[in-house]
């Protein structure tokens, strides 16, 4: 005869200390858990509501000190919590993000500061502006104890180079002592020379944005006010490629993880991602802004980028997503002229027309500080449940919903109406024309006029 005996060890369910958690025994047999999917669905809805309605508090703080509009920013690649900002009155400041205080000021420019760039080792800051000067500054290295003393400190430029025309943009080459400026043309400078090593002109108007490729340091991309985007190769000593769009590109950013791709922030309220090997069409069109996109910056992970717009909002896009996953705005924030991702991809910094820098969380509902193991597991479980039921209407609606400022909401509705009207007009024109006489082009190709 066979007898089944229940055997339990007291060690399995007895707490060793009073602070220990009581062990729970679970039977995961689906036949005895008939309501499992219904329970998980309710948990997914609750997790989505908690994330969007309770914990979504992206604004961390504002950094004030400038007395005019903030026109440009630069990250220090060698220091996680330091960021530089330049304003329209010629003031340059170094900020400590952790304490949200000014560490050092760099006085000297007589006009608006239009461009800032930091060398790869983080020791040299390059600034340029409308006063036709390029200035090199030594970046102060201070400890946390010295911050109170250095807050009133002003730096003296290491070098000042005066040139023939005003500058609109500057960027530093990766791992080398060269930097490029954009203005009436593209000039390549060296730290140790007071005149440009190389100069490029390709029949362009003023160059408004310039960026070195992070993977190939000798390649750089520029955008100009004649609506062109050009790629230059310093080894060839001549421009490599150029194409003209229907509207002007205000800023360019390379994808740090896929250096063959770059994204352009355009005047027509869209962003366009391009493959530098195939410039006759965009890889992806990123929509949602309702006014000109002024600046763009990629996350160090290369999976998303942040944009700042003239419509007074900051948006975060997936690198291959057509619509933004997040929108940030405040009542006091005015037109956003510059945005940056922090070097650890955890925060976003925006500089706007109201003289303030603002610090935002890259993930609006992320819990700051050290997480306990149980908290971490709870967050992971909520994410997994939301991901499992994300296609269901209720969960999708909660996760996608964003409160918009009234002007942005109305402008978006007007934009949709105009787009729909154009589409209907095109369909009617096509229906009343000879077959094949009207050629349809996708938006990815329609915005590009000519490739040279």
């Amino acid at each position: 005869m066979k007898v089944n005996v229940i055997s339990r060890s007291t060690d399995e369910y007895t707490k060793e200390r009073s602070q220990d958690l009581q062990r729970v025994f679970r039977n995961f047999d689906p036949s005895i858990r008939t309501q499992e999917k219904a329970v998980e669905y309710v948990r997914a809805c609750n997790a989505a509501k908690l994330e969007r309605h309770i914990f979504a508090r992206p604004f961390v703080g504002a950094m004030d000190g400038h007395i005019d509009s903030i026109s440009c920013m630069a990250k220090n690649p060698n220091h996680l919590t330091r960021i530089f900002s330049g304003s329209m009155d010629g003031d340059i400041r170094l900020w400590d993000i952790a304490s949200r205080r000014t560490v050092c000021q760099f006085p000297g420019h007589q006009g608006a500061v239009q461009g800032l760039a930091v060398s790869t080792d983080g020791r040299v800051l390059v600034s340029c502006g409308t006063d036709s000067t390029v200035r090199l500054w030594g970046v102060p290295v201070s400890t946390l104890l010295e911050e109170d003393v250095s807050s009133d400190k002003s730096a003296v430029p290491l070098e000042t180079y005066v040139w023939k025309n005003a500058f609109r943009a500057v960027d530093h080459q990766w791992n080398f002592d060269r930097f490029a400026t954009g203005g009436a043309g593209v000039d390549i400078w060296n730290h140790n020379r007071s005149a440009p090593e190389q100069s490029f002109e390709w029949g362009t108007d003023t160059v408004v944005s310039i960026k070195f490729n992070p993977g190939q340091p000798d390649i750089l991309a520029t955008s100009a006010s004649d609506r062109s985007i050009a790629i230059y190769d310093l080894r060839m000593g001549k421009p490599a490629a150029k194409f003209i769009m229907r509207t002007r590109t205000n800023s360019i950013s390379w994808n740090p993880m896929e250096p063959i791709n770059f994204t352009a922030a355009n005047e027509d309220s869209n962003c366009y991602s391009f493959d530098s090997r195939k410039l006759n069409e965009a890889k992806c069109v990123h929509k949602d802004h309702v006014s000109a996109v002024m600046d763009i910056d990629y996350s160090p992970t290369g999976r998303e980028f942040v944009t700042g717009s003239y419509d007074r909002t900051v948006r975060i896009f997936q690198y291959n997503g057509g619509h933004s996953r997040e929108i940030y705005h405040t009542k006091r924030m005015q037109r956003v002229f510059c945005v940056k991702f922090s070097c650890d991809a955890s925060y976003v910094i925006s500089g706007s027309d109201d003289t303030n820098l603002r610090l935002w969380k890259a993930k609006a509902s992320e819990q700051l500080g050290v997480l306990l193991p149980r908290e971490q597991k709870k967050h992971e479980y909520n994410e997994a449940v939301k991901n499992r039921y994300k296609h269901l209407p209720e969960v999708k609606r909660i996760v996608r919903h964003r409160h918009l400022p009234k002007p942005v909401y109305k402008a978006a509705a007007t934009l949709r109406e105009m787009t729909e009207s154009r589409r209907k007009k095109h369909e009617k024109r096509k229906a009343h024309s000879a077959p094949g006489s009207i050629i349809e082009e996708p938006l990815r190709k329609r915005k590009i006029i000519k490739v040279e």
Side-chain angles (χ1 to χ4, degrees):
M1 188 174 77
K2 192 174 181 181
V3 178
N4 293 330
V5 179
I6 297 175
S7 175
R8 287 182 180 176
S9 170
T10 56
D11 295 336
E12 289 182 355
Y13 56 86
T14 305
K15 295 194 288 187
E16 293 182 2
R17 295 186 300 273
S18 59
Q19 293 86 5
D20 288 351
L21 297 173
Q22 185 70 43
R23 185 176 176 189
V24 179
F25 295 89
R26 290 192 177 92
N27 187 344
F28 293 103
D29 183 7
S31 62
I32 62 172
R33 296 168 62 89
T34 55
Q35 296 295 314
E36 184 177 13
K37 286 192 177 181
V39 169
E40 278 195 344
Y41 173 69
V42 172
R43 286 177 181 170
C45 288
N46 291 340
K49 288 175 184 175
L50 283 172
E51 182 193 12
R52 289 310 319 158
H53 300 154
I54 306 296
F55 298 129
R57 298 288 182 270
F59 182 64
V60 178
M63 295 176 272
D64 57 341
H66 284 289
I67 58 174
D68 208 341
S69 304
I70 296 168
S71 54
C72 54
M73 290 193 299
K75 293 181 286 192
N76 189 336
N78 214 31
H79 206 300
L80 189 63
T81 62
R82 297 293 167 87
I83 192 162
F84 297 89
S85 64
S87 68
M88 300 296 280
D89 65 342
D91 185 25
I92 302 172
R93 289 174 180 251
L94 171 60
W95 300 87
D96 180 65
I97 297 177
S99 61
R100 301 201 290 276
R101 290 184 300 179
T102 301
V103 174
C104 184
Q105 288 183 263
F106 303 86
H109 281 283
Q110 301 301 314
V113 180
Q114 295 286 2
L116 292 173
V118 185
S119 60
T120 314
D121 58 7
R123 295 180 181 178
V124 178
L125 169 70
V126 183
S127 66
C128 69
T130 55
D131 58 355
S132 304
T133 62
V134 176
R135 296 171 190 263
L136 272 61
W137 312 80
V139 177
V141 180
S142 60
T143 63
L144 294 174
L145 298 175
E146 294 171 351
E147 279 183 8
D148 293 332
V149 180
S150 63
S151 59
D152 300 327
K153 188 177 174 184
S154 294
V156 179
L158 303 175
E159 299 288 346
T160 302
Y161 305 144
V162 182
W163 198 232
K164 296 176 287 189
N165 51 266
F167 297 102
R168 291 292 305 273
V170 65
D171 194 35
H172 203 283
Q173 191 176 18
W174 291 76
N175 301 322
F176 292 97
D177 286 341
R178 290 190 291 184
F179 60 92
T181 58
V186 178
D187 299 314
I188 311 300
W189 303 71
N190 193 298
H191 285 191
N192 305 314
R193 296 185 62 178
S194 59
E197 288 184 339
Q198 291 175 280
S199 293
F200 299 103
E201 285 186 12
W202 197 351
T204 60
D205 206 346
T206 306
V207 174
V208 296
S209 174
I210 189 165
K211 281 289 186 294
F212 273 101
N213 189 309
Q216 288 286 342
D218 291 314
I219 292 176
L220 61 103
T222 65
S223 67
S225 54
D226 65 349
R227 302 171 298 162
S228 66
I229 295 177
I231 296 176
Y232 297 88
D233 192 339
L234 304 186
R235 296 164 296 188
M236 295 168 59
K238 61 180 182 179
K242 176 183 172 183
F243 64 98
I244 298 174
M245 301 188 70
R246 293 192 180 275
T247 45
R248 192 179 86 167
T249 296
N250 291 316
S251 184
I252 288 176
S253 184
W254 292 92
N255 188 332
M257 291 291 118
E258 299 173 357
I260 56 172
N261 300 330
F262 66 90
T263 304
N266 207 270
E267 196 81 17
D268 66 352
S269 76
N270 294 337
C271 295
Y272 300 90
S273 291
F274 292 95
D275 187 332
S276 56
R277 302 165 299 180
K278 187 181 179 184
L279 298 174
N280 60 345
E281 68 172 324
K283 287 185 68 178
C284 185
V285 180
H286 311 275
K287 305 176 183 178
D288 269 348
H289 280 295
V290 296
S291 190
V293 186
M294 303 304 294
D295 198 16
I296 183 171
D297 187 49
Y298 260 97
S299 163
T301 61
R303 308 304 292 175
E304 53 191 19
F305 60 86
V306 61
T307 59
S309 172
Y310 214 71
D311 62 11
R312 304 194 291 271
T313 62
V314 174
R315 289 183 184 265
I316 299 176
F317 292 84
Q318 298 290 339
Y319 79 105
N320 57 357
H323 295 276
S324 61
R325 74 160 177 85
E326 203 61 80
I327 175 171
Y328 297 153
H329 53 86
T330 66
K331 285 185 178 179
R332 293 186 179 185
M333 187 165 70
Q334 298 302 309
R335 297 166 297 191
V336 182
F337 289 139
C338 47
V339 287
K340 291 289 178 194
F341 252 106
S342 63
C343 292
D344 61 350
S346 297
Y347 297 94
V348 167
I349 303 101
S350 66
S352 53
D353 205 9
D354 57 277
T355 76
N356 279 359
L357 271 78
R358 287 180 172 81
L359 186 64
W360 312 83
K361 291 189 284 189
K363 294 179 181 175
S365 58
E366 187 177 24
Q367 184 178 341
L368 299 179
V370 179
L371 294 181
L372 297 173
R374 291 180 69 195
E375 290 177 318
Q376 185 66 37
K377 286 180 181 176
K378 179 63 176 173
H379 288 315
E380 289 171 358
Y381 176 76
N382 283 346
E383 284 297 320
V385 169
K386 279 190 299 180
N387 192 50
R388 173 176 287 183
Y389 295 97
K390 65 183 178 182
H391 60 282
L392 295 180
E394 185 69 12
V395 178
K396 185 191 291 186
R397 183 188 63 80
I398 297 168
V399 169
R400 288 181 56 188
H401 179 72
R402 298 290 182 275
H403 287 289
L404 296 177
K406 199 170 186 179
V408 174
Y409 183 80
K410 287 188 172 181
T414 306
L415 204 61
R416 281 195 299 271
E417 191 175 344
M418 290 165 59
T419 306
E420 183 65 15
S421 176
R422 275 194 225 106
R423 187 191 64 80
K424 286 180 179 176
K425 184 176 180 180
H426 179 76
E427 290 295 331
K428 289 177 183 176
R429 184 177 290 164
K430 185 179 176 183
H432 292 83
S433 301
S437 62
I438 294 182
I439 301 172
E440 279 196 72
E441 274 192 321
L443 183 61
R444 294 178 291 114
K445 288 186 176 181
R446 204 186 311 149
K447 292 292 181 178
I448 299 166
I449 297 175
K450 184 173 66 170
V451 179
E452 296 182 8

